[in-house]
Amino acid sequence: MKQEAANFRNARAALFWAGGVQLIQDVAQFATMLILVRLIAPEEYGAMALAQAIMGVSTLFAAGSFVPHALQVRDPSEVDWHSHFTAGLFWNTWIALAVLAVAALLATPIWGGDVGLSLALLSAAHLLGGPAVVRGVMLQTQHDWARSRLLGLLGTFLGLSTGVLLAIGG
């Protein structure tokens, strides 16, 4: 009976943190979008949107797609985190190189070059993404919902504020 109560509390905490943080992130992203469309020329905004769309597709193939399978192991101490970290870093490096290749193609005069530079800069996110996903899953296996979601929220706000500062800076 005590285990069922603990499971219920963990599930309730996970729902609270996931739902609350997702709502805050969505509102912040919408507000940032409203700010950016007024600061950035439509052509530049479109180029950045294309770069983000390509990054979104590449993320489907990144470590974030397979590292969460570690959550299926009931005892977190049985997970070989070193292997997950190594595989995530290795795989995400290849994904980043593939995104850089696409950026090089889009940097040609045929495409105008704006998308290529933006995409090349965004590809660095894959190098950081592998280790970040592994750490996030580690926190989830420990049921540390507050830290897990607050770190994600912090990353969102850092990314959004960087975008706004870059737009203000020209």
Side-chain angles (χ1 to χ4, degrees), residues 24-43:
I24 292 169
Q25 286 175 326
D26 289 346
V27 169
Q29 288 172 345
F30 183 73
T32 302
M33 184 260 320
L34 292 176
I35 293 168
L36 290 177
V37 296
R38 283 156 177 58
L39 293 175
I40 300 175
E43 300 82 25

Side-chain angles (χ1 to χ4, degrees), residues 49-62 99 119 122 126:
L50 177 59
Q52 287 179 325
I54 293 169
M55 280 296 292
V57 170
S58 68
T59 301
L60 294 173
F61 302 102
V99 171
L119 189 57
L122 285 173
H126 283 304

Side-chain angles (χ1 to χ4, degrees), residues 1-49:
M1 189 68 168
K2 282 187 177 185
Q3 184 62 35
E4 289 177 9
N7 288 343
F8 179 74
R9 280 192 305 275
N10 281 332
R12 187 176 53 201
L15 182 65
F16 169 77
W17 282 103
V21 167
Q22 186 64 52
L23 180 65
I24 292 169
Q25 286 175 326
D26 289 346
V27 169
Q29 288 172 345
F30 183 73
T32 302
M33 184 260 320
L34 292 176
I35 293 168
L36 290 177
V37 296
R38 283 156 177 58
L39 293 175
I40 300 175
E43 300 82 25
E44 294 171 354
Y45 190 84
M48 194 59 195

Side-chain angles (χ1 to χ4, degrees), residues 7-169:
N7 288 343
F8 179 74
R9 280 192 305 275
N10 281 332
R12 187 176 53 201
L15 182 65
F16 169 77
W17 282 103
V21 167
Q22 186 64 52
L23 180 65
I24 292 169
Q25 286 175 326
D26 289 346
V27 169
Q29 288 172 345
F30 183 73
T32 302
M33 184 260 320
L34 292 176
I35 293 168
L36 290 177
V37 296
R38 283 156 177 58
L39 293 175
I40 300 175
E43 300 82 25
E44 294 171 354
Y45 190 84
M48 194 59 195
L50 177 59
Q52 287 179 325
I54 293 169
M55 280 296 292
V57 170
S58 68
T59 301
L60 294 173
F61 302 102
S65 298
F66 63 84
V67 171
H69 291 290
L71 294 172
Q72 294 176 353
V73 178
R74 293 292 176 204
D75 185 4
S77 64
E78 293 179 13
V79 178
D80 184 4
W81 293 112
H82 179 72
S83 293
H84 278 79
F85 179 86
T86 303
L89 189 59
F90 176 79
W91 187 249
N92 273 23
T93 300
W94 282 106
I95 298 294
L97 290 172
V99 171
L100 280 174
V102 172
L105 289 173
L106 294 176
T108 60
I110 296 170
W111 291 94
D114 293 341
V115 177
L117 178 60
S118 300
L119 189 57
L121 292 173
L122 285 173
S123 70
H126 283 304
L127 298 176
L128 300 173
V133 167
V134 172
R135 183 61 186 142
V137 172
M138 288 174 74
L139 290 172
Q140 289 178 21
T141 61
Q142 298 165 359
H143 297 252
D144 194 349
W145 306 116
R147 181 178 290 170
S148 171
R149 299 303 179 187
L150 288 174
L151 284 174
L153 189 61
L154 176 65
T156 297
F157 280 118
L158 285 174
L160 295 176
S161 61
T162 301
V164 170
L165 290 175
L166 287 173
I168 290 171

